[in-house]
Amino acid sequence: MAAPFTAITNLLEHQRIELPSWAFGNSGTRFRVFTTPGTPRDPFEKIADAAQVHRLTALAPSVALHIPWDRVEDWSALRRHAEELGVSLGTINSNTFQDADYKFGALTHEDDRIRRKAIDHHLECIDIMDATGSRDLKIWLAEGSNYPGQNDMRARQDRLHDSLRQIYDRLTGPQRLVLEYKLFEPAFYHTDVPDWGTSYVHVSALGERAMVCLDTGHHAPGTNIEFIVMQLLRLGKLGAFDFNSRFYADDDLIVGAADPFQLFRILVEVIRGGGLGNPDVVFMLDQCHNIEAKIPGQIRSVLNVQEMTARALLLDRDALTAAQHANDVLGAHAVFMDAFSTDVRPALAGWREERGLPADPMAAYAASGYQERIEAERVGGAQASWGA
Ligand code: PSV
Ligand code: MN
């Protein structure tokens, strides 16, 4: 049997999930970006929406920003705005995938002028971190090639190392660099940081302030992601998650929607490796709500992570260890599945009520009138959009 829920309530308090500002803007595919009434027109409105998620769940106290999408004149005003709404500004994500200069690379580019420009963009991101109080700079690189022979892959690795070194050397205090990997897209033949091993090679060469970011949508189908989680935690190099779910490629769907069991397995390894409640491991969402409502989409997402965390915490570790030591294959599997199969939803509703939160945050949002208000108020201006 799984452990009783009362044994895990204190552990659940440690859960912090960071929301991506871009989840509140419009997004879509290369075929169409649909607009939605009430969509934020600027970073202040995105943060106001993110604060609703935290207000109803107490799970999402920080918001990640993407530069230049979220660039504002006055960073301290944005920081104050967030704090007044009960949230803080989190990870700063750089963007080297939308400028025409970066067609053939950014931090790996052969042309020193373009590589300099990409490095300087990251230095500006660190200036922003100084102003927002953000700790982490997250780098995802849309760099690679489409055809065999197109590029000297080795030379690009050398330039990448040099660029990252220059960025890393600008970090101060508690600041960190987090390097995200992705198997393919937009490049289709080779990608300069395609996997956790390559990210690990680079961050290890940089030093202690550099960590790996694991985006759950960035692997080949069938990859054992929880093994990677285990290994990076074992190495002390798991800096952040970008949670989302996928059926085919990098679908950026609601976390836990495509494969709840995979999310459970990942969280089992997070807990096993000391990653839960560990400030060194950021649990961020990286999702785009193309057709579903955005604020409830984020509420659903953080609740999914909480639900799977609760189930993973219920795993009877002693029984599992005993079965593993005895090579009791079916016994160990049964213990594992017992935890996964536990319905924690009523207990979590009670957990929320004990803390003055709505038992059902989805219903509370629908009844709050917030959506109607932003739809009425946010008229005119340009809606924020992924890629805008
Ligand atoms: C790339 O696919 C990625 O996962 C990176 O984290 C980007 O910054 C993000 O998506 C933008 O949605
Ligand atoms: Mn990501």
Side-chain angles (χ1 to χ4, degrees), residues 318-338:
D318 293 341
L320 184 66
T321 305
Q324 288 172 344
H325 286 334
N327 284 320
D328 179 0
V329 176
L330 293 177
H333 182 59
V335 171
F336 199 83
M337 295 310 290
D338 256 347

Side-chain angles (χ1 to χ4, degrees), residues 14-16 18 62 91 135-136 174 176 178 211 233 238-241 270 273-284:
H14 299 302
Q15 189 135 52
R16 306 262 180 285
E18 186 159 298
S62 63
T91 304
R135 183 190 60 178
D136 290 352
R176 309 189 307 173
V178 187
M211 309 283 275
L233 282 168
L238 182 59
F241 280 101
V270 165
L276 185 67
N278 178 346
D280 291 344
V281 184
V282 176
F283 292 80
M284 212 192 89

Side-chain angles (χ1 to χ4, degrees), residues 9-233:
T9 48
N10 289 341
L11 298 167
L12 281 173
E13 306 288 348
H14 299 302
Q15 189 135 52
R16 306 262 180 285
I17 302 164
E18 186 159 298
L19 305 185
S21 68
W22 52 100
F24 300 95
N26 290 321
S27 64
T29 66
R30 65 199 171 91
F31 298 101
R32 174 81 197 174
V33 173
F34 294 103
T35 58
T36 314
T39 295
R41 282 88 44 90
D42 60 34
F44 288 85
E45 291 181 348
K46 290 182 197 175
I47 286 172
D49 289 1
Q52 291 300 310
V53 179
H54 187 50
R55 187 176 70 78
L56 296 169
T57 63
L59 287 172
S62 63
V63 189
L65 303 179
H66 219 295
I67 310 298
W69 301 338
D70 294 319
R71 195 180 269 134
V72 292
E73 287 287 305
D74 184 350
W75 290 107
S76 43
L78 190 68
R79 184 178 182 170
R80 267 198 317 280
H81 172 71
E83 284 164 5
E84 278 161 21
L85 291 166
V87 295
S88 64
L89 302 178
T91 304
I92 298 296
N93 291 253
S94 63
N95 182 326
T96 50
F97 47 92
Q98 290 181 304
D99 187 303
D101 271 348
Y102 301 140
K103 183 172 177 182
F104 296 113
L107 294 184
T108 61
H109 207 291
E110 243 177 309
D111 181 333
D112 283 344
R113 180 189 70 79
I114 294 174
R115 193 157 73 89
R116 183 73 250 159
K117 173 175 165 170
I119 295 168
D120 286 345
H121 165 62
H122 288 87
L123 301 185
E124 188 210 344
C125 287
I126 301 173
D127 290 342
I128 293 170
M129 288 158 62
D130 291 340
T132 56
S134 304
R135 183 190 60 178
D136 290 352
L137 168 66
K138 171 125 66 66
I139 305 179
W140 169 69
L141 299 169
E143 309 191 28
S145 62
N146 276 0
Y147 297 98
Q150 180 189 328
N151 278 135
D152 181 348
M153 295 189 287
R154 163 63 195 266
R156 288 171 73 94
Q157 287 296 304
D158 296 340
R159 288 193 293 269
L160 175 58
H161 170 70
D162 180 74
S163 302
L164 290 172
R165 164 63 61 198
Q166 293 188 48
I167 297 164
Y168 182 84
D169 285 346
R170 163 69 181 79
L171 299 170
T172 55
Q175 291 174 340
R176 309 189 307 173
L177 181 160
V178 187
L179 183 62
E180 180 174 350
Y181 60 92
K182 177 169 171 172
L183 176 63
F184 82 100
E185 196 198 27
F188 294 121
Y189 164 58
H190 107 274
T191 297
D192 292 304
V193 187
D195 51 30
W196 74 270
T198 305
S199 177
Y200 180 73
V201 163
H202 282 285
V203 299
S204 297
L206 292 172
E208 277 190 354
R209 298 157 170 279
M211 309 283 275
V212 177
C213 170
L214 186 159
D215 183 314
T216 49
H218 288 185
H219 307 85
T223 299
N224 183 336
I225 297 174
E226 58 271 27
F227 181 88
I228 301 170
V229 171
M230 173 280 292
Q231 189 69 284
L232 288 173
L233 282 168

Side-chain angles (χ1 to χ4, degrees), residues 289-302:
H289 302 297
N290 297 350
I291 54 170
E292 67 274 31
K294 301 167 202 319
I295 299 170
Q298 289 287 284
I299 295 173
R300 176 80 276 149
S301 305
V302 298

